[in-house]
Amino acid sequence: NYLLPMKLHCIAILNRDGSPMYLRSFGEQQEEVQFYYVAHTACDVIEERIAQQPAGDLFVGQLQTVGDMVVHGYAMNTQQWIVVVSSVSTESAGMRNARVKEVCQSVHAAFVAMVCNPFDELGRGEQIKNARFERVIEQLGQAEF
């Protein structure tokens, strides 16, 4: 039985208004517009799921399937959301969720480190432009899952 590995297609961070503060796609440049749309449509699902989520659990889980891609969500305590778009893999949903949750936690840790840096001022509604944060995202995009 051959397992098809999971590939990350996109990592996005959305502000509380649902606008992308950061979006990084791992593939063709033309796909980036599609990922903006996918990330934005995930906002409504995240808001619905957060209301039903147990307190303290930030990982929202699988939000939707779009073609051959799976969209997952993670709600940060700052009312910002991480959206991860990955390929559909042949592993169980529980295994895939665990892997995506690890990705979300890594993105969250890099985000917290960035906003806690007193020399990096990220204003409300601004795009994230931080070299250290970008390196973490790039490493996640290149990793094999």
Side-chain angles (χ1 to χ4, degrees):
N1 216 359
Y2 179 70
L3 283 179
L4 191 65
M6 181 182 79
K7 178 185 180 313
L8 293 182
H9 292 289
C10 172
I11 296 175
I13 296 182
L14 309 173
N15 65 17
R16 56 184 69 136
D17 301 323
S19 301
M21 298 172 60
Y22 180 83
L23 188 135
R24 174 73 165 86
S25 63
F26 309 102
E28 300 296 320
Q29 203 64 17
Q30 313 80 301
E31 293 179 338
E32 199 161 294
V33 173
Q34 175 188 9
F35 292 126
Y36 272 103
Y37 175 75
V38 169
H40 189 70
T41 58
C43 291
D44 294 333
V45 182
I46 291 174
E47 286 178 343
E48 289 174 14
R49 297 266 177 90
I50 289 173
Q52 304 162 0
Q53 203 64 2
D57 189 10
L58 301 177
F59 185 64
V60 181
Q62 182 175 331
L63 304 174
Q64 58 191 3
T65 303
V66 180
D68 63 344
M69 298 178 294
V70 181
V71 182
H72 289 83
Y74 187 94
M76 294 188 276
N77 329 26
T78 55
Q79 294 180 329
Q80 292 153 330
W81 306 311
I82 298 170
V83 175
V84 174
V85 181
S86 66
S87 59
V88 174
S89 66
T90 55
E91 64 190 0
S92 71
M95 286 290 292
R96 183 177 51 242
N97 279 343
R99 291 175 196 262
V100 174
K101 185 175 184 176
E102 286 177 29
V103 169
C104 291
Q105 289 170 335
S106 296
V107 173
H108 188 197
F111 181 81
V112 168
M114 180 188 65
V115 296
C116 288
N117 181 350
F119 301 108
D120 192 348
E121 296 181 18
L122 181 66
R124 182 173 162 86
E126 286 186 29
Q127 297 291 310
I128 296 172
K129 295 178 180 103
N130 179 285
R132 184 174 291 160
F133 181 81
E134 183 65 36
R135 277 193 304 275
V136 170
I137 301 300
E138 187 65 31
Q139 289 172 346
L140 288 170
Q142 302 304 321
E144 289 288 322
F145 292 98

